[in-house]
């Protein structure tokens, strides 16, 4: 069974071979059926034509000898013999005439029957003696080919007086069928060769780009090399696959670029406070620790730096989602409570800066599903920004209302500096800071909004902003929610 296994492997290891074999089988099968059908049609029609012409010959002879058949005399039989020989010779047929009991009166050959021999038992003769014109195809005794026999009853006054049998060899028809068969076989072979060639060409066209892509995918998997693209020259499904493949590579490259950028930014951000900590420690070692006032001041700034460092680390962990690996997901978190708690967290900071916070009372009970801490964090981030980028005596207004039957919109509006339209498209990017100088002194790292957007996305929501420079900004959070109208439930 080794050869069988070899064929099996050859077939199923390659798409091209499968296409080829399928084509060959389908074409060979359908052409064979067509050939078979056509040849049998040709044969049956040729036999029908021959039968009709033999019948006409029989009728012609019958018209000549019908009187003599009734007479039953030696002269009459002689006349019948002469007529049979004449007709048979002229037409090249085998003709036999029998009387009404099946005895031979005249026969033209090819293997001459004896006069008076009874052939009533031959099927076409017995049918014709019974009054039915009959035809049979069979091997004639003494020759090596099939013959068609037509037997015609000669009748008068309702009686069968005798039978005329006309026979003709089928050799010619068979030869013609053989010639036709050869032509059909030639057509089948030609088509199969053409099929092999076209399917090899087609299979190459189809499988080449696919194997290119699979080669490239293998490379990416093994070495992570995403430097190349696959060539796309086709516009069909394979071309589309190539395009998608290239888009995927493009996406991978972009991800890689962002990752590198993130690492560079993160290490830069971590390096700055670390170096500052180093220099404070150095100053303390150099003698600053001796002076109690100076020591206190340095320790305070050390504390600030460490705080900043740990909050930055927390942000980094958050944004890389390490922190959020096993977040607790709860149903029915009350949005009003969530906003209230977030406000409490920034209350002291707002007091210090003399900025007012107003939470417009809600007319609906809005329930969210998600993580309490993360959602609070998102709102706190927005409130902190509003505080950070507002002057004293500013005002922050928070409002929450349903926008659809199952969606709530939370808006956080401030009367602060506003955002430059050039910065606006970038503020949600990691490490992006608008006014670099000011935010740096304010301690911002540009991660706040990126984290907020991440959290909102995790909760299947979107974040948006509207801002006018010098007048203030409004951030919008839209989240899926269960909305219960308070008026209706009262
Ligand atoms: N309410 C606001 N008013 C004006 N500018 C804002 C406001 N919120 C955000 N911005 C601008 O968008 C930038 C990005 O904000 P983001 O919160 O991401 O970073 P950050 O506040 O600078 O630092 P942190 O990581 O500490 O939050 C800010 O640097 C600021 O320029
Ligand atoms: Mg911020």
């Amino acid at each position: 069974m080794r050869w069988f296994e070899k064929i099996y492997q050859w077939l199923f290891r390659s798409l091209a071979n499968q296409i080829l074999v399928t084509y060959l089988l389908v074409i060979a099968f359908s052409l064979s059926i067509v050939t078979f059908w056509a040849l049998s049609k040709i044969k049956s029609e040729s036999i029908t034509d021959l039968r009709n012409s033999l019948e006409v010959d029989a009728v012609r002879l019958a018209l000549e000898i019908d009187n003599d058949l009734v007479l039953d005399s030696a002269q009459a039989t002689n006349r019948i013999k002469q007529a049979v020989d004449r007709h048979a010779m002229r037409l090249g047929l085998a003709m036999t005439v029998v009387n009404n009991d099946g005895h031979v009166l005249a026969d033209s050959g090819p293997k001459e029957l004896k006069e008076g021999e009874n052939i009533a038992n031959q099927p076409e003769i017995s049918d014709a003696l019974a009054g039915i014109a009959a035809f049979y195809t069979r091997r004639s005794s003494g020759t090596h080919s099939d013959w068609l026999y037509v037997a015609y009853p000669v009748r008068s006054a309702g009686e069968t007086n005798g039978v005329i049998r006309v026979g003709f060899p089928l050799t010619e028809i068979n030869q013609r069928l053989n010639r036709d068969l050869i032509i059909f076989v030639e057509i089948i072979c030609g088509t199969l060769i053409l099929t092999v060639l076209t399917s090899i060409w087609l299979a190459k066209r189809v499988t080449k780009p696919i194997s290119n892509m699979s080669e490239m995918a293998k490379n990416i998997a093994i070495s992570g090399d995403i430097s190349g693209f696959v060539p796309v020259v086709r516009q069909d499904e394979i071309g589309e696959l190539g395009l998608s493949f290239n888009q995927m590579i493009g996406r991978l490259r972009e991800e890689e670029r962002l990752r590198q950028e993130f690492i560079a930014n993160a290490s830069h951000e971590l390096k700055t406070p670390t170096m500052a900590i180093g220099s404070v420690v150095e100053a303390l070692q150099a003698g600053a620790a001796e002076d109690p006032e100076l020591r206190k001041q340095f320790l305070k700034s050390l504390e600030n730096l460490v705080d900043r460092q740990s909050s930055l680390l927390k942000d980094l962990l958050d944004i890389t989602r390490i922190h959020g690996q096993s977040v607790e997901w709860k149903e029915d978190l009350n949005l009003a409570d969530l906003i209230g708690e977030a406000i409490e967290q920034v209350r002291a900071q707002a007091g210090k800066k003399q900025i007012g916070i107003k939470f417009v009372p809600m007319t609906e009970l809005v329930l969210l599903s998600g993580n309490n801490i993360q959602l609070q964090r998102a709102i706190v981030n927005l409130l902190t920004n509003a505080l950070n980028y507002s002057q004293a005596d500013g005002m922050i207004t928070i409002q929450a209302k349903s926008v659809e039957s199952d969606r709530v919109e939370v808006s956080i509006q401030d009367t602060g500096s506003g955002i430059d339209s050039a910065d606006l498209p970038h503020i949600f990017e990691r490490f992006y800071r608008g006014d670099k100088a000011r935010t740096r002194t304010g301690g911002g790292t540009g991660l706040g909004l990126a984290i907020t957007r991440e959290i909102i996305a995790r909760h299947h929501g979107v974040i948006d902003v509207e801002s006018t420079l010098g007048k203030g900004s409004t951030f919008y959070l839209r989240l899926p929610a269960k909305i219960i109208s308070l008026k209706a439930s009262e």
Side-chain angles (χ1 to χ4, degrees):
M1 272 302 160
R2 285 219 144 267
W3 62 269
F4 178 76
E5 268 170 35
K6 270 188 189 154
I7 291 180
Y8 187 85
Q9 281 180 359
W10 172 83
L11 189 59
F12 287 100
R13 284 253 173 90
S14 152
L15 188 61
N17 295 346
Q18 287 169 39
I19 295 175
L20 173 69
V21 171
T22 316
Y23 273 175
L24 287 183
L25 287 179
V26 168
I27 287 173
F29 179 73
S30 37
L31 284 184
S32 305
I33 291 203
V34 169
T35 306
F36 180 75
W37 175 83
L39 289 180
S40 46
K41 195 90 189 146
I42 292 172
K43 186 173 181 179
S44 77
E45 280 186 2
S46 316
I47 287 180
T48 311
D49 288 351
L50 181 62
R51 196 186 82 208
N52 290 340
S53 84
L54 293 183
E55 225 173 296
V56 170
D57 295 334
V59 170
R60 282 208 187 112
L61 181 63
L63 287 173
E64 205 174 317
I65 63 169
D66 56 350
N67 286 332
D68 290 330
L69 263 180
V70 193
L71 287 178
D72 194 17
S73 67
Q75 286 101 320
T77 311
N78 241 347
R79 276 199 298 276
I80 291 175
K81 269 191 197 150
Q82 282 166 6
V84 165
D85 284 343
R86 202 170 57 246
H87 275 265
M89 202 170 341
R90 186 165 56 83
L91 299 167
L93 304 166
M95 282 183 148
T96 311
V97 177
V98 298
N99 67 8
N100 54 2
D101 349 295
H103 288 99
V104 175
L105 295 177
D107 181 58
S108 72
K111 186 195 172 222
E112 237 169 293
L113 294 163
K114 282 193 197 82
E115 200 181 318
E117 190 178 340
N118 193 325
I119 54 167
N121 59 349
Q122 293 190 354
E124 69 278 2
I125 301 286
S126 72
D127 280 1
L129 284 174
I132 308 159
F135 66 95
Y136 278 88
T137 309
R138 60 184 158 78
R139 187 142 288 214
S140 146
S141 55
T143 59
H144 293 291
S145 60
D146 287 340
W147 281 61
L148 174 69
Y149 288 110
V150 171
Y152 180 77
V154 186
R155 291 166 69 86
S156 67
E159 291 281 317
T160 303
N161 301 324
V163 169
I164 296 174
R165 183 179 76 178
V166 186
F168 194 79
L170 291 178
T171 344
E172 224 171 84
I173 291 181
N174 285 338
Q175 274 169 359
R176 191 182 142 199
L177 283 175
N178 282 344
R179 277 199 305 276
D180 288 350
L181 181 66
I182 290 170
I183 292 173
F184 274 112
V185 170
E186 280 169 2
I187 291 175
I188 292 179
C189 289
T191 316
L192 290 183
I193 290 171
L194 211 68
T195 309
V196 170
L197 296 179
T198 30
S199 24
I200 288 174
W201 173 77
L202 200 72
K204 275 219 173 105
R205 257 172 69 90
V206 171
T207 51
K208 187 98 205 292
I210 294 183
S211 48
N212 268 351
M213 270 180 261
S214 108
E215 191 64 25
M216 200 158 198
K218 237 185 260 168
N219 259 348
I220 294 175
I222 294 168
S223 64
D225 174 20
I226 45 170
S227 54
F229 282 117
V230 289
V232 179
V233 280
R234 303 162 58 116
Q235 290 182 340
D236 51 11
E237 289 87 343
I238 299 211
E240 225 165 81
L241 180 65
L243 275 182
S244 311
F245 192 84
N246 285 345
Q247 271 168 359
M248 184 187 77
I249 292 179
R251 178 66 197 259
L252 284 175
R253 283 189 197 171
E254 178 60 13
E255 291 274 320
E256 179 59 16
R257 190 186 66 75
L258 288 175
R259 201 170 66 90
Q260 298 287 359
E261 198 180 277
F262 178 72
I263 292 171
N265 285 334
S267 29
H268 176 80
E269 291 299 326
L270 285 169
K271 201 174 77 190
T272 320
T274 310
M275 279 167 64
I277 290 171
S279 40
V280 174
V281 171
E282 233 170 65
L284 283 171
Q285 275 171 342
E290 309 297 318
D291 179 350
E293 197 52 41
L294 214 54
R295 189 174 60 213
K296 202 172 157 199
Q297 200 185 323
F298 275 16
L299 284 177
K300 183 74 202 154
S301 65
L302 210 53
E303 192 186 1
N304 284 345
L305 285 166
V306 170
D307 274 356
R308 179 159 147 63
Q309 191 83 314
S310 48
S311 101
L312 178 62
L313 280 174
K314 192 164 162 285
D315 281 356
L316 287 176
L317 287 178
D318 241 15
I319 206 144
T320 49
R321 301 193 202 176
I322 295 164
H323 201 59
Q325 258 169 6
S326 56
V327 284
E328 201 187 351
W329 202 263
K330 275 191 185 159
E331 300 288 321
D332 296 345
L333 300 171
N334 188 334
L335 179 66
D337 294 348
L338 228 114
I339 295 175
E341 280 162 35
I343 293 173
E344 282 319 307
Q345 287 185 41
V346 296
R347 182 78 73 194
Q349 205 187 335
K352 229 190 272 171
K353 263 191 113 170
Q354 292 176 330
I355 293 174
I357 300 182
K358 186 169 105 188
F359 180 21
V360 179
M362 291 171 66
T363 55
E364 298 152 318
L365 173 63
V366 177
L367 302 175
L368 302 179
S369 61
N371 181 270
N372 199 9
I373 297 172
Q374 286 193 351
L375 285 170
Q376 243 178 60
R377 175 120 210 255
I379 297 169
V380 168
N381 278 354
L382 295 178
L383 289 176
T384 316
N385 279 353
L387 287 172
N388 280 345
Y389 306 111
S390 292
Q391 301 297 330
D393 297 327
M395 178 56 104
I396 299 172
T397 313
I398 307 167
Q399 211 172 347
K401 59 174 193 301
S402 60
V403 278
E404 277 163 51
S405 61
D406 57 355
R407 248 177 138 67
V408 68
E409 180 185 83
V410 180
S411 63
I412 297 168
Q413 186 180 22
D414 63 50
T415 52
S417 62
I419 304 165
D420 195 307
S421 56
D423 291 329
L424 216 50
H426 305 291
I427 55 170
F428 294 104
E429 290 168 13
R430 294 167 182 176
F431 298 107
Y432 190 87
R433 282 165 296 197
D435 182 344
K436 305 251 161 26
R438 187 160 52 93
T439 47
R440 201 166 276 281
T441 50
T445 51
L447 282 174
L449 283 179
I451 292 171
T452 307
R453 187 177 60 168
E454 182 78 38
I455 293 174
I456 297 303
R458 263 188 243 171
H459 287 80
H460 312 290
V462 285
I463 183 166
D464 204 0
V465 60
E466 276 171 12
S467 187
T468 317
L469 204 59
K471 286 209 168 147
S473 321
T474 310
F475 282 83
Y476 298 95
L477 302 179
R478 282 178 210 107
L479 287 158
K482 244 189 258 172
I483 316 254
I484 301 160
S485 166
L486 289 178
K487 281 178 204 136
S489 62
E490 263 164 16

